[in-house]
């Protein structure tokens, strides 16, 4: 007789996290799109906040606590809402942000950054308002960012101007532009070696593009 084996894990439940181990108090951004709303490096995590000026909270993994609007330091410098952000896989303190203001900004989180103290209380301090690098070249809002998986300081971006650009962050210059799409790009991803990237477009086509030649 056929019998389905019962899983020994089906009645396993996790405990709810304790309040003192949670990051709380955020009023998160209501901007909708195809981006991810939280991203992390091995040291920090980032979430976009509600309000003008493109604010982001950057927190340390080892400092849970309550965010207090107007007291806890944040990162902001864009003229419009932040639509996506990406941590550099080769530098845990380097964050790229993309905005409705058509620019991309590169930020460095200082080593002493500590918006929440060891007791979980908000710690007053100066906001980060000066970016290291500004990348300008898109004519409409920048929607998505992806760092290169194997080359340091190479960044991929896509915009509502229907283009995909590759940037040399260190030199603050554009390396190539692909403009072969006729509709909005909804996702971009590098292959594992970084020789090609793929785009998923609103026109229902997936394109594989040579990163150096910017051709399909």
């Amino acid at each position: 007789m056929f019998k389905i084996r019962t899983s020994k894990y089906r009645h396993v439940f996790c405990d709810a996290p304790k309040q003192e181990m949670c990051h709380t108090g955020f009023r998160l951004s209501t901007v909708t799109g195809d981006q991810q709303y939280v991203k992390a490096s091995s040291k920090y995590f980032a979430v976009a906040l509600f309000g003008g000026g493109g604010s982001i909270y950057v927190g340390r993994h080892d400092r849970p606590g309550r965010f207090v609007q107007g007291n806890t330091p944040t990162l902001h410098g864009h003229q419009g809402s932040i639509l996506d952000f990406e941590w550099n896989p080769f530098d845990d303190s380097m964050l790229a942000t993309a905005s409705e203001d058509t620019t991309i900004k590169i930020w460095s989180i200082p080593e002493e950054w500590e918006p929440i103290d060891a007791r979980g209380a908000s710690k007053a301090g100066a906001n980060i308002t000066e970016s290291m690098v500004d990348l300008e070249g898109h004519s409409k809002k920048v929607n998505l960012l992806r760092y290169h998986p194997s080359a340091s300081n190479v960044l991929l971006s896509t915009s509502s101007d229907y283009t995909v650009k590759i940037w040399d962050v260190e030199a603050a210059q554009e390396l190539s532009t692909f403009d072969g799409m006729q509709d909005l790009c909804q996702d971009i991803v590098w292959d594992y070696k970084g020789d090609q990237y793929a785009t998923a477009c609103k026109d229902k086509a997936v394109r594989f593009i040579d990163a150096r030649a910017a051709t399909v």
Side-chain angles (χ1 to χ4, degrees):
M1 180 179 177
F2 177 74
K3 185 178 179 181
I4 298 175
R5 187 175 63 181
T6 302
S7 170
K8 60 183 177 181
Y9 298 109
R10 72 191 190 116
H11 295 302
V12 175
F13 301 94
C14 65
D15 294 327
K18 296 180 180 178
Q19 186 69 19
E20 60 268 22
M21 298 304 295
C22 297
H23 299 269
T24 61
F26 304 114
R27 190 180 179 193
L28 300 177
S29 172
T30 56
V31 175
T32 58
D34 299 302
Q35 74 275 14
Q36 299 170 21
Y37 291 90
V38 58
K39 291 185 180 180
S41 67
S42 64
K43 186 175 182 181
Y44 302 104
F45 73 95
V47 290
L49 300 174
F50 180 84
S55 294
I56 279 189
Y57 172 74
V58 176
R60 286 174 44 173
H61 295 313
D62 61 347
R63 287 286 189 270
R66 183 170 182 78
F67 173 84
V68 178
Q69 183 72 36
N71 183 68
T72 309
T74 59
L75 178 154
H76 64 87
H78 284 284
Q79 299 301 310
S81 297
I82 290 177
L83 300 181
D84 198 20
F85 43 91
E86 179 86 344
W87 292 98
N88 188 333
F90 298 94
D91 185 344
D92 292 332
S93 299
M94 184 180 290
L95 180 69
T97 57
S99 173
E100 287 182 340
D101 65 12
T102 75
T103 68
I104 301 165
K105 291 181 182 287
I106 310 298
W107 309 83
S108 179
I109 309 304
E111 188 65 33
E112 66 277 7
W113 182 253
E114 192 178 70
I116 303 292
D117 66 22
R119 298 178 294 107
S122 174
K123 199 174 172 184
N127 295 326
I128 301 176
T129 58
E130 294 295 328
S131 57
M132 291 195 307
V133 176
D134 290 359
L135 303 175
E136 299 180 0
H138 285 294
S139 60
K140 293 186 178 180
K141 63 183 181 180
V142 186
N143 299 313
L144 297 170
L145 298 174
R146 298 290 184 268
Y147 267 108
H148 196 283
S150 58
S152 180
N153 294 323
V154 175
L155 183 66
L156 187 67
S157 67
T158 186
S159 164
S160 293
D161 62 10
Y162 303 162
T163 66
V164 181
K165 294 182 183 290
I166 299 178
W167 305 87
D168 181 336
V169 171
E170 192 170 1
Q173 66 181 18
E174 179 185 321
L175 296 178
S176 68
T177 299
F178 174 73
D179 58 2
M181 297 181 297
Q182 302 303 314
D183 212 330
L184 189 67
C185 180
Q186 296 178 306
D187 200 8
I188 48 175
V189 61
W190 289 100
D191 70 5
Y192 285 103
K193 294 191 295 182
D195 295 331
Q196 299 181 90
Y197 59 87
T199 65
C201 187
K202 203 172 180 180
D203 63 7
K204 301 180 181 180
V206 176
R207 297 173 175 85
F208 294 89
I209 296 139
D210 184 288
R212 293 184 183 275
T215 56
V216 178

